[in-house]
Amino acid sequence: MTMPDSLRTVEFKDNKVIMIDQTKLPTKLVFVEYDDFNEVAHAIRTLIVRGAPAIGVSGAFGLALAALQSNATVRDELLSDLEDARKVLFETRPTAVNLGWGLEKIMSVAKTGDSADQIRELVIFTAKKMADDDIKINKALGKHGSVLLDDNDTIMTHCNAGALATVAYGTALGVIRATKESGKNVKVIATETRPVQQGSRLTAFELKHDGFDVSLIPDTAVGYSMANGLVDKVIVGADRIVRTGHVFNKIGTYQVAIMAKRHGAPFYVAAPLSTIDMQTLAKDVIIEMRKASEVTGVGDMRTAPDDITVINPAFDMTPPELISGIITEKGVVMAPYEESIPKLFQAN
Ligand code: MRU
């Protein structure tokens, strides 16, 4: 089973949202089509679509569907229907800031419309543009990051911050793609990323499809790989970066960062500016807790005793002292992040 080069993780076509059902990968490439924003909310909640930038754009597309679903004929009535839909979409996942960012962006554009028809047009146009921009941003980010990688480097990555976590191209994997495009040879080590296995199901699949030299390791082999000199650098994505440079990303990222520090491997985070939250403090970021069944079994097979108490956080926080640089579409910033991050928003 192969994935066509031009494939998008999520798109808006013929007034429908079309997305890859990522719960079926890597064995089946299945597309789902939605014409109801509630179905998009369900898709985000159940990880049919996941990854911070991908859920940001999916939220925006959800509002585009809500605009089409609404029978409102006057401006304020439509804005009120959109606000109801925004709440439903926002409540699906709490940690990635891109979801709220995408929804807010659409709502503020909607409010500039004078009539219901104009709002519908504006919302659909803006959501589609956000999707196109996502690819451009990832390519710019990838180029900036590629200068940090050397010929013949082996890069470890965790979770999936690839095409499948964005509209296309990826963030952390975008840097790896851009490095290859610049003529350098690069190998990848992908962690399996239990419990949902975004590393084995998605990253290994995506990189293998695109012809990269990728090796899969269990999460428990991160220390072994670094201690045995198998890793030159680490690049991961992010769900939320706060102004102090604390990075929230897939559970296990913190362990990888600690290990990278111990073994002297630079640890980079690649993310668009839409992932940076200048308002919230690290201590106030909500870490999503997911259901126990993700941990008590693998697929349909049960691997833990009945009624076991489970702690299943979906994300963790990596502190700035473990981060060698944050790669964005506006360039790479380094510590002290409280000084360097605000400058990203001033750059043209
Ligand atoms: O639970 P997920 O699969 O949505 O978590 C995804 C991650 O943690 C990614 O690393 C992050 O969203 C960056 S995606 C470019």
Side-chain angles (χ1 to χ4, degrees), residues 109-172:
V109 166
K111 284 172 194 157
T112 66
D114 293 326
S115 66
D117 282 349
Q118 199 191 7
I119 291 174
R120 284 191 181 91
E121 258 175 48
L122 279 170
V123 164
I124 293 169
F125 174 82
T126 308
K128 282 182 166 175
K129 185 169 181 316
M130 280 167 74
D132 292 342
D133 286 350
D134 179 74
I135 304 173
K136 288 183 198 145
I137 286 168
N138 294 338
K139 289 193 170 168
L141 178 161
K143 252 198 181 140
H144 287 303
S146 68
V147 300
L148 300 168
L149 306 194
D150 295 310
D151 197 20
N152 295 320
D153 266 353
T154 299
I155 309 301
M156 178 176 280
T157 190
H158 184 64
C159 192
N160 174 267
L164 289 163
T166 60
V167 176
Y169 203 75
T171 55

Side-chain angles (χ1 to χ4, degrees), residues 22 44 47 49-55 93 96 98 134 138 157-166 170-173 193 196 198 201-202 236-240 248-251 253 270-272 275 288 290 294 314-316:
Q22 299 193 34
I44 297 172
L47 309 184
V49 64
R50 32 64 54 199
I55 64 175
R93 297 197 75 190
N98 307 59
D134 179 74
N138 294 338
T157 190
H158 184 64
C159 192
N160 174 267
L164 289 163
T166 60
T171 55
L173 299 192
T193 319
V196 181
Q198 289 93 335
R201 293 190 306 104
L202 309 176
V236 297
D239 287 83
R240 190 182 293 244
F248 294 79
N249 191 49
K250 180 52 54 194
I251 191 74
T253 302
T275 301
E288 177 184 5
R290 292 190 65 87
E294 289 180 350
F315 302 97
D316 61 23

